[in-house]
Amino acid sequence: MDLTQLEMFNAVASTGSITQAAQKVHRVPSNLTTRIRQLEADLGVELFIRENQARMVVAGDEPQGLFSLGSLESTAAVRISPTLAHFNQRYPKIHLALSTGPSGTMIDGVLEGNLSAAFVDGPLVHPALEGLPVFPEEMMIVAPFGHPPIARASEVNGASVYAFRANCSYRRHFESWFHADRATPGRIHEMESYHGMLACVIAGAGLALIPRSMLESMPGHHHVYARPLAEEWRWLTTWLVWRRGAKTRQLEAFIALLNEDRQAAVSP
């Protein structure tokens, strides 16, 4: 699954129409239909109930309405796609709208009321938010293939770095790793995607910090040097957060399904 497919899925889920979704993402309907079917084949589940099939809906208390969810790009790409598919199947009256971005942007969206909830990098420290930890992420320093082993930041002092914008928590974590060892990154090149970061690293242009789950999902990850950061910097935790006292029925349904899928993933 890639972010283009995720954008298409989100457009169809929010509009309820292939034609309207195609207009929203500037594609022809036939292309959208093909990509959605490819996504269904990849995930092994049917994401949408077609109009010529029977639809069983329990009347009355079924959650419905808009559920605006924010997410880190890596979380959206490799962690929650099965849950989004299950959520869309189980709650057809809920209109799921997904947006991705760095933690700072997602937190602002939740605080401003534009997002019902968001997956962000923890820990949770804002007094106006509450949430729960959901995914541990192992952070990998990524360098051009053949790079000498990297055990500490002083060994790459002054190296160019590829990262998201300044409000990205992973970028701040990377910079803190440098500063804790009395080292400084060189020029920080701001990128819009992990795929762009990886391409620049493969080309020998610098370093990046990428979660292992995201790195191993991308073509080309075998063509770089990758090593976990030292133990005290190695692990970060992704949280699902929402405004304190603002847990909606849609959010409660999503949390329940998320926990169900996480439990199924670890069960033998």
Side-chain angles (χ1 to χ4, degrees):
M1 179 178 190
D2 56 38
L3 289 178
T4 299
Q5 288 174 312
L6 196 60
E7 180 187 24
M8 292 178 176
F9 165 79
N10 180 51
V12 176
S14 61
T15 64
S17 164
I18 287 288
T19 301
Q20 293 180 37
Q23 293 174 348
K24 186 175 181 180
V25 298
H26 309 293
R27 301 288 183 116
V28 297
S30 59
N31 177 258
L32 203 66
T33 299
T34 299
R35 295 299 295 273
I36 291 294
R37 292 195 180 278
Q38 289 174 344
L39 180 56
E40 289 178 323
D42 291 342
L43 296 176
V45 295
E46 185 177 346
L47 300 179
F48 298 99
I49 300 175
R50 274 65 177 180
E51 290 181 353
N52 62 347
Q53 293 174 301
R55 174 180 260 173
M56 300 298 293
V57 176
V58 179
D61 292 334
E62 183 184 10
Q64 55 186 299
L66 177 65
F67 178 55
S68 300
L69 180 66
S71 176
L72 300 170
E73 180 185 351
S74 55
T75 304
V78 301
R79 292 290 193 185
I80 62 172
S81 52
T83 297
L84 297 181
H86 296 163
F87 189 75
N88 186 65
Q89 285 185 311
R90 187 172 297 183
Y91 300 104
K93 289 187 177 181
I94 294 179
H95 299 288
L96 174 65
L98 179 70
S99 58
T100 62
S103 285
T105 302
M106 297 297 98
I107 289 174
D108 288 344
V110 173
L111 292 173
E112 293 165 3
N114 298 321
L115 295 174
S116 305
F119 289 97
V120 301
D121 177 43
L124 178 60
V125 294
H126 199 289
L129 297 176
E130 55 186 333
L132 71 157
V134 284
F135 303 115
E137 294 292 355
E138 186 178 19
M139 306 307 296
M140 309 289 287
I141 185 168
V142 183
F145 188 80
H147 195 284
I150 303 171
R152 53 187 300 178
S154 58
E155 296 170 344
V156 288
N157 185 48
S160 293
V161 165
Y162 291 85
F164 289 117
R165 297 184 295 275
N167 61 349
C168 172
S169 57
Y170 289 171
R171 170 173 167 173
R172 293 196 298 269
H173 187 73
F174 203 14
E175 292 179 279
S176 296
W177 175 76
F178 273 95
H179 298 155
D181 199 28
R182 300 184 182 275
T184 305
R187 182 177 176 184
I188 299 178
H189 304 267
E190 294 188 352
M191 307 293 289
E192 295 298 324
S193 73
Y194 282 115
H195 291 83
M197 291 182 203
L198 185 62
C200 290
V201 173
I202 291 174
L207 310 177
L209 185 71
I210 303 178
R212 181 189 286 272
S213 59
M214 183 68 195
L215 178 64
E216 294 182 348
S217 75
M218 293 189 291
H221 73 275
H222 293 299
H223 301 295
V224 294
Y225 164 92
R227 173 179 176 147
L229 292 183
E231 195 61 34
E232 63 269 30
W233 300 95
R234 182 174 182 174
W235 296 97
L236 294 175
T237 302
T238 300
W239 284 61
L240 179 66
V241 302
W242 56 90
R243 282 181 296 165
R244 186 171 297 277
K247 186 185 286 186
T248 63
R249 294 191 63 220
Q250 296 97 323
L251 177 55
E252 289 176 344
F254 182 78
I255 291 173
L257 188 56
L258 177 65
N259 289 332
E260 180 182 315
D261 285 352
R262 289 167 62 208
Q263 183 61 40
V266 299
S267 297

